[in-house]
Amino acid sequence: MAGIHEGPEFGVGDFVLLHELSLDAFMDNLKHRFNKGKIYTYIGEVVVSVNPYRSMDIYNNSFVQQYKDREIYERPPHIFALADNAHKTMRRQARDTCIVISGESGSGKTEASKIIMRYIAAVTNISGQREVERVKDVLIKSNNILEAFGNAKTNRNDNSSRFGKYMDINFDFKGDPVGGHISNYLLEKSRVVYQQEGERNFHSFYQLMAGAPEAMLNELKLTRDPKKYNFVNQGGDHKVGSINDKQDFRAVMDAMRATGFTEEQTSTLWKIVSSVLHLGNIEFEGEEESTVVNSVETATIAALLSVTKDDVEKALCSRVIAAGGNVVDKHLNAGEAHYARKAFAKAMYDRMFSWIVGRINDAIDPKHGGLVGKNTVIGVLDIYGFEIFDNNSFEQFCINYCNEKLQQLFIELVLKQEQEEYMREGIQWQHVDYFNNKVICDLVELPHKGVLAILDEACLNVGKVTDEMFLDAMSQKLGKHERFTCRKLAPADKTLEHKRDFRIRHYAGDVTYSVAGFIDKNKDTLFMDFKRLLFNSTNSVIKDMWPEGARSVKETTKRPITAGTSFKNSMIALVENLASKTPFYVRCIKPNEVKSPIVFDDTRTKHQVMYLGLLENVRVRRAGFAFRMQYERFLQRYKLINSSTWPNFNGQTLDGVKRIIRDQGFEDDVKYGKSKIFIRSPQTLFALETARDAKIPSIVLFLQRLTRGALGRQKAKKVRAIYLIMRRFKRYKLRSYALACIERFGNARRMKDYGKGIQWPKPPHSMRPTVELLKRAHARWRAHMILARIDPKDRPMMRLKVMAGDVLVGKRADWGVKRNWEGNYLASTKDNSNTSDFVSQMSTLKNRDGFSIVLFSSYVKKANKHNKTAERGIAITDKFIYKIDVKKKFKPMNKGYPLTDVTGMSVSPGRDQLAIIHLSGGNDLVLCLENPAQEERVGELIGVMCSHMHKILKKDMKVNISKTLNCMLGHKPRTVVVKETAVNGGTVFKKEGDSLALMWPNA
C-alpha cells in the first residue's frame, strides 16, 4: 500500500498513518523522506510534493504504466496517482474534476502542472485519432510558449510563473482530450519595466537576444547584449545557470509552429517584444513640453509596430483630451512622458500575452474538432504561490489574496468531502477545529469595508489622491480589524514605515506592503492615444489586439473597472468554478532557499507546512478514521490472514470482512459503512499489514511449488508433442523431397544431358549431407551414361581431352578438341617418313632408362639460351622428356629430363604452337610444335602432361595461359611473346632486347 509498502527505511508514505499526530512528527517524516529521495507523500488523497531541485527518473513510460488505472493507495505516493485518479473519476463518473496546485514561489507548481499534463496525454494515447493527437500536442507545446512570455527568474525561483493559469481540458465520452481552454490571471506586467536586484524580466526578452539568428536581430535593430536595454538590465547579471535561453528560443519557435501560429503572427510577437526593449531606451527632455531625445529609437519602434514615427512621438509626448465638445492636445512634461512610456510598454506586453493565450485557446477549442454531445473537463490550476519579498507591492497583495481564497476553498472542500463521505456511508461525523481564513478574505474583498473597496474609492475621488491618503483611509476604516495594522495604528512598531507601510496577518504569515504605486497600479491608466496608435497599425495582428482604439476621440465611455476589482471578480469566479468540480490537490513545498537537492531548511519548511494547513488537513482526515477501503478490495487484500476466508470466501463480502476483523480482535476500532470499512487508528492498519506480510512467504512458496509443477508438466507435454511433430514432420519432408526428386529426375535417362540442367529441390536441413551424396551419385551415373556411348578404345583420348579442356576451355582460341589425338606422331608415317630410326632409338632408350610408353612425340623448333632456333624433336614418355636431334637419326641429345622435374607449363591464348615446359633445373624447354598437317597439338600436349603428372604427383599441374610468358634459359629469366608476321622460312625465335619473340606466320 502507498502509505506503508515502500519499506520502513523511507518513513510513512501517508501522513494520515503517522503513529503520533504532531507538527514535530510531521516534519520528521517529511524530512526523512526528502533525504531518502522520496519527494511525494500523501495526506489521504492529497499529494504533498517537495521540490527536489534535480532531475528524477520517475516520470518515464514504465511509471505511467504502473499508475494507470490503479487505486491511489495501491502504489507508492506519486503525482501520477493523483492525475490518474482525477482522470478516472472524470471518465467513470462523468463528473468534472479539477487539480489545484498550490505552494509558494519556487516550490515546483509549474513543473507539477507539466507532469500532470504529460501523464494525461500519455494515458489517452489513442492511435489513429488525428484530432486527439493534435489537441494533446497543442496542450503540451503551449507550456513552452506561456513560460517564455509569462515566466521570469526571481530571487526564489529561476522559472517563476508571473501569472496565474487555469486550464480546462475537455474530454469526450471515451475519456480522450478533444480540446481545452486556458484562463490567465494578473500578469505581473510591472516586471516589464522594473526588476529587483538579482531578478530578470520575462524569459522572452533574453531568449530573443540569445537565440534569434543574426538576420532577425538586424531586422529588429537589436544586439545580443541585454546590458544595452534599460528594461532588462536592472536586476544585474542576466545569465541563469539553469536556463539555456538560446535553446529555449528554438523550443518556443517549434512550439509556435506546432500550435498553429502563422509566420506573420510569430514575427509580430517578436516585433512587439523588440519594441518594448527599444521603448526602455527612450529619454525625454523639457519641463513644460517634453520631446524625445533619441528619435532614432522612435523611428525603430514605428517601423516595428507598422505606424509612423510622428504618431509614436506624439503619443509619447502628449495626450488628446475631449472637453466641451472640443478636442485638445495636452502636452506632457518629461516626468509624465516617462510614466506614459512605461504604461505603454506594460500595456503592450500585457495585451500581447492575453492575445497569445487567446490564440492558443483558438487552437484547442473543442468546437475546432467538431465536438458534439456531452463532454467533461479536468481543470488544472497553476497559480502564483504565496510571496513575501523585501518590497511587497500591489502585485504581491493580489497574489496573496488569491492564495487566501484558495486556502479557504481547500479547507472548506476537504471538510465538505469528508463530511459527505461519512454521511454517504452512514458514519457519525466528529467536529474538527481549524483556522478559517474567511476573516482575511473578508478583510480584502468585503464591499465598502475591504481593502480593495477602499482602494477603489480612493481611485474614484476627484482631485489629486495620493497613496498616503489611501493608507490613512485604511487606518480609519480597518483600525479595529485584528488582521490589519500600520504605523499610525501601532506607533511603537518601527518595522513599519510612516506614511508607507501596512501589514496584514495572512494565514501564511505577516506581510508588510508598501502603498507606493497602489493607486496607479489599480487605476491601470493607459491613455487612449496609445490604443488609437496601435489600432491604426498596418499590421493586422497588432490592430486586432487593440479593438477599442476604433472609438472616436469624442466618444464618452464608462470608467473602466479597476485592476484590483477585476482581479477580485476573476478570483471569485475561479473559486466558484473550482467548487463546482470534484477537487484534487497538490501541495508544493520548497525545502530551502538555495535551490539545493540536499538541504532541508527546517524553519522555512515548517512555516510552509503551517500556512498550507497540512496538519489541519491530517486532523480532518483522521477526525473519525485514519483509513477507509471498499469491502471488495479489503477482502481481496486481507483474506489470506484468515483460514475461513482463504483462498475464497463463498458468503457475502461484508460477512467476510467482519470475520477477518473479528478474528484479529479489532472490532472496537472499526466502523462499517454502506460500501466501505473505516479504520480509526493507524496501528490497526499496520497490524493487518503485518499479519498479511507474515502469511505472504508461505503462500508464495505454495504458489511457486504449484506453478513450477504445472509449468513442468506443461513443458513435458509440449516437449513430447514437439518431438512427435518433429518425427512426423521429418518423415513428411523426406518423403516430399524424395517424391520431388523422382518427379524431376524420373525422365533423366531420356534427356540429352542426363539431367545435368535440372535444378535440385531445396533439401531439408537434415538431408543436406545425404543430398550431396545423391548429387555425386548422379554425377557418376551421368559420367557412366556418357562413357557408355563412347568406344572403349577412344576413352583414353577422351580422358586427355577432358583434362585439357578443364585447363584451356575459354582461355585458348583453338586446342584441337575436334581431331583425333594420336600422341606418338614421330612413330607415324603421316608426320615422319623415317619412323624406323625413331622407333629404334626409343627402343634403345626404353631398355636403358626403363620407361614403359611414349606418350607424346613431335617435331619442334626449340629456342636455346643463346637465342638460337634449332629444329628438334621431343618425346615425352611416362618417366622422361627427351630432346632429339632429328637430323642425326633421332639421336637423343642428352639424358632425359625426369617428369618429376616439371613444375608447370605455359602456353599462349592464340593459335600459335608455342609451349614452355618449366623445369626445376633453371633451364626450361621453350618449344614451338610443328607438323606437316599444321594441326593444333598444344592442347594434346597439355592434356598428356596434365593427365600423367596427376598420376605421378597426385595433384594438378599448374598451367599458365598468357600473351606474355616467362621462362628460364641458362638460369636467366626471359620473357617470351608471340608476334604474327610474314615469315618465309617458317617459325623462328628471335631476340628482341631482353625478350625472346616467336615469329609466327600470319597466313
Side-chain angles (χ1 to χ4, degrees), residues 367-493:
K367 296 177 183 176
H368 181 87
L371 179 68
V372 293
K374 177 173 172 52
N375 68 93
T376 49
V377 303
I378 293 179
V380 180
L381 177 66
D382 170 19
I383 206 159
Y384 354 74
F386 197 87
E387 293 184 345
I388 306 177
F389 294 141
D390 294 335
N391 180 25
N392 301 291
S393 187
F394 180 73
E395 290 81 10
Q396 281 68 47
F397 176 77
C398 292
I399 287 171
N400 293 341
Y401 161 64
C402 166
N403 278 269
E404 292 283 0
K405 292 292 289 183
L406 293 177
Q407 177 67 8
Q408 182 185 20
L409 176 72
F410 174 71
I411 292 296
E412 288 180 353
L413 290 184
V414 166
L415 285 170
K416 180 182 176 184
Q417 281 181 320
E418 286 292 305
Q419 187 173 10
E420 285 180 351
E421 182 170 26
Y422 286 135
M423 291 177 62
R424 191 167 52 248
E425 294 291 331
I427 304 296
Q428 187 175 358
W429 168 255
Q430 178 179 342
H431 178 73
V432 179
D433 291 327
Y434 66 95
F435 169 67
N436 189 340
N437 64 336
K438 183 177 184 300
V439 62
I440 305 174
C441 295
D442 289 345
L443 170 65
V444 176
E445 67 185 15
L446 269 182
H448 311 298
K449 297 179 181 179
V451 174
L452 289 176
I454 297 170
L455 180 59
D456 280 355
E457 185 179 341
C459 293
L460 294 174
N461 283 339
V462 178
K464 182 68 175 178
V465 181
T466 64
D467 293 321
E468 293 177 16
M469 296 168 65
F470 161 60
L471 181 59
D472 286 339
M474 283 197 297
S475 64
Q476 292 175 13
K477 295 186 178 182
L478 303 174
K480 296 181 180 180
H481 201 291
E482 61 177 4
R483 293 273 165 176
F484 176 88
T485 188
C486 62
R487 187 66 180 271
K488 188 174 182 179
L489 298 175
D493 189 351

Side-chain angles (χ1 to χ4, degrees), residues 65 68-69 87 91 118-137 171-178:
Q65 297 307 316
K68 183 179 180 181
D69 291 330
H87 182 253
R91 193 177 71 242
R118 287 199 297 268
Y119 179 82
I120 292 174
V123 297
T124 57
N125 187 17
I126 309 298
S127 61
Q129 296 189 13
R130 192 171 298 174
E131 178 61 19
V132 170
E133 295 302 316
R134 187 194 70 82
V135 169
K136 291 191 323 192
D137 194 45
F171 295 83
D172 63 12
F173 68 96
K174 303 186 300 299
D176 295 329
V178 291

Side-chain angles (χ1 to χ4, degrees), residues 817-888:
V817 68
K818 295 180 180 180
R819 65 176 185 81
N820 287 331
W821 291 2
E822 299 177 14
N824 192 0
Y825 291 100
L826 293 180
S828 171
T829 56
K830 184 174 68 173
D831 275 29
N832 182 12
S833 59
N834 192 9
T835 58
S836 58
D837 290 340
F838 175 74
V839 172
S840 175
Q841 290 290 350
M842 288 298 103
S843 296
T844 303
L845 289 173
K846 184 177 183 180
N847 293 330
R848 187 188 78 183
D849 295 339
F851 64 80
S852 299
I853 188 172
V854 177
L855 300 174
F856 183 84
S857 64
S858 176
Y859 290 113
V860 299
K861 285 189 177 179
K862 176 183 173 298
N864 61 20
K865 62 185 178 180
H866 302 297
N867 304 318
K868 302 295 184 180
T869 305
E871 295 186 2
R872 298 284 187 264
I874 188 169
I876 300 175
T877 70
D878 56 347
K879 288 185 178 181
F880 299 99
I881 299 174
Y882 296 99
K883 287 192 298 183
I884 302 171
D885 191 340
V886 297
K887 295 181 179 179
K888 295 183 179 180

Side-chain angles (χ1 to χ4, degrees), residues 773-788:
L773 293 175
L774 289 174
K775 288 181 178 179
R776 288 167 58 188
H778 177 252
R780 294 169 70 90
W781 175 78
R782 280 188 63 254
H784 169 74
M785 295 301 292
I786 292 170
L787 290 174

Side-chain angles (χ1 to χ4, degrees), residues 752-772:
K752 188 176 182 180
D753 63 351
Y754 297 107
K756 180 182 179 181
I758 295 176
Q759 181 73 32
W760 283 76
K762 185 177 180 180
H765 188 272
S766 61
M767 281 196 67
R768 288 178 184 174
T770 306
V771 170
E772 291 302 318

Side-chain angles (χ1 to χ4, degrees), residues 482-537:
E482 61 177 4
R483 293 273 165 176
F484 176 88
T485 188
C486 62
R487 187 66 180 271
K488 188 174 182 179
L489 298 175
D493 189 351
K494 295 184 179 181
T495 60
L496 294 171
E497 186 74 27
H498 272 297
K499 300 181 180 181
R500 190 192 72 182
D501 295 343
F502 69 93
R503 181 179 296 137
I504 293 179
R505 289 175 55 205
H506 288 281
Y507 79 94
D510 295 354
V511 183
T512 300
Y513 299 98
S514 170
V515 294
F518 259 61
I519 290 179
D520 283 339
K521 291 176 179 178
N522 190 48
K523 285 182 178 178
D524 198 20
T525 305
L526 181 69
F527 300 146
M528 278 298 295
D529 304 70
F530 293 115
K531 298 177 182 179
R532 283 192 288 268
L533 171 70
L534 296 179
F535 175 77
N536 291 321
S537 170

